[in-house]
């Protein structure tokens, strides 16, 4: 697919996340207070909620459950010992709006000196498809001949090195989860894409490089997502192009 859609309906996004691993000269015990002072005109403290996405082993991009939790009503910020994570709250506002919030926050934290530099940038998008098999709408579904017939609760995972970054693709097909009432059982599929790039030798310390790299990782995530789906399914999602 040469031109990627700017929007699909429904987007089926369960969560969208941007994470930065940062360096700071400020002691860890006071950095949360410093961040809050810098952001309090736009963000308010929110109650912490246990909300972690994991498939198998611990993911390289994850929701931390410690530190400072802030929200502006659209995007949630979670500050932990070495990372700051942005993720959506209710509905995806689109990359333009979400990244605008992310870059404004990171500019404030870098310019103020609260953050010295960023040593890793990560993007993660999780899409959920209730009541369907994601394998049936792929360009080419992973297949394994089974002696006892078609399986369910199937997970496919692979890691790819691409343009100096790592891309992790996880597909969970026809997973089962219990809903209320407890006797009802529904199935769902997941597309979980993580794209991250470390900067150990040359940490990112200016907003221009940070925003350009983050946007590039987002483009790679989109290329992976639309690249694995067949054109008929993409067309059914009412793609809109900018």
């Amino acid at each position: 697919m040469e031109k990627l859609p700017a929007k699909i309906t429904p987007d089926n996004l369960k969560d969208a996340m941007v994470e930065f691993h940062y360096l700071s000269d400020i002691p860890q015990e006071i950095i949360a207070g410093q961040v809050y002072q810098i952001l309090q005109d736009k963000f308010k403290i929110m109650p912490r909620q246990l909300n972690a996405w994991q498939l198998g082993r611990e993911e390289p991009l994850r929701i931390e459950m410690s530190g400072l939790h802030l929200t502006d009503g659209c995007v949630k910020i979670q500050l932990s010992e070495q990372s700051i994570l942005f993720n959506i709250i209710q509905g995806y506002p689109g990359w333009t709006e979400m990244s605008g919030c992310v870059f404004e926050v990171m500019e404030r934290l870098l310019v103020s000196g609260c953050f010295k530099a960023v040593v890793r940038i990560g993007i993660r998008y999780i899409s959920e498809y209730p009541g369907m098999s994601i394998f049936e709408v792929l360009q080419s579904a992973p297949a394994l001949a089974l002696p006892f017939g078609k399986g369910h609760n199937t997970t496919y995972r692979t890691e790819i090195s691409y343009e100096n970054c790592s891309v992790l693709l996880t597909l969970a097909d026809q997973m089962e989860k219990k809903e209320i009432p407890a006797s009802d059982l529904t199935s769902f599929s997941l597309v979980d894409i993580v794209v991250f790039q470390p900067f150990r030798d040359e940490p990112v310390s200016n907003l221009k490089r940070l925003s350009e790299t983050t946007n590039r990782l987002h483009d790679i995530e989109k290329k992976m997502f639309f690249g694995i789906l067949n054109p008929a399914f993409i067309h059914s999602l009412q793609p809109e192009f900018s």
Side-chain angles (χ1 to χ4, degrees), residues 173-188:
D173 189 62
Q174 294 184 311
M175 309 297 286
E176 294 178 349
K177 66 177 179 180
K178 290 185 177 180
E179 298 284 7
I180 298 174
S183 59
D184 293 342
L185 197 63
T186 60
S187 67
F188 67 98

Side-chain angles (χ1 to χ4, degrees), residues 75-202:
V75 176
K76 177 169 60 177
I77 298 176
Q78 299 177 73
L79 181 75
S80 62
E81 185 175 351
Q82 294 180 327
S83 70
I84 184 168
L85 176 73
F86 302 80
N87 68 299
I88 59 176
I89 299 174
Q90 293 181 341
Y92 181 55
W95 178 246
T96 299
E97 184 173 341
M98 182 175 181
S99 64
C101 173
V102 169
F103 298 150
E104 178 187 348
V105 169
M106 293 303 294
E107 181 178 26
R108 292 192 191 189
L109 297 177
L110 287 168
V111 170
S112 68
C114 188
F115 288 178
K116 185 178 179 181
V118 169
V119 295
R120 197 179 85 158
I121 301 174
I123 299 277
R124 185 178 185 183
Y125 276 66
I126 303 171
S127 303
E128 182 179 288
Y129 298 89
M132 66 170 283
S133 166
I134 194 65
F135 286 176
E136 294 178 357
V137 296
L138 298 179
Q139 289 267 26
S140 179
L144 177 65
L146 300 174
F148 305 120
K150 186 178 180 180
H152 62 281
N153 285 328
T154 304
T155 302
Y156 169 85
R157 181 186 178 91
T158 189
E159 180 173 352
I160 303 163
S161 296
Y162 179 75
E163 294 187 355
N164 297 318
C165 66
S166 294
V167 183
L168 280 71
L169 170 66
T170 301
L171 303 175
D173 189 62
Q174 294 184 311
M175 309 297 286
E176 294 178 349
K177 66 177 179 180
K178 290 185 177 180
E179 298 284 7
I180 298 174
S183 59
D184 293 342
L185 197 63
T186 60
S187 67
F188 67 98
S189 294
L190 287 178
V191 178
D192 186 350
I193 302 173
V194 178
V195 185
F196 67 93
Q197 182 172 353
F199 301 90
R200 300 181 185 90
D201 298 329
E202 189 182 356

Side-chain angles (χ1 to χ4, degrees), residues 191-216:
V191 178
D192 186 350
I193 302 173
V194 178
V195 185
F196 67 93
Q197 182 172 353
F199 301 90
R200 300 181 185 90
D201 298 329
E202 189 182 356
V204 180
S205 58
N206 67 82
L207 184 67
K208 184 176 186 295
R209 185 180 172 208
L210 181 141
S211 59
E212 288 176 349
T213 304
T214 306
N215 282 326
R216 183 176 64 85

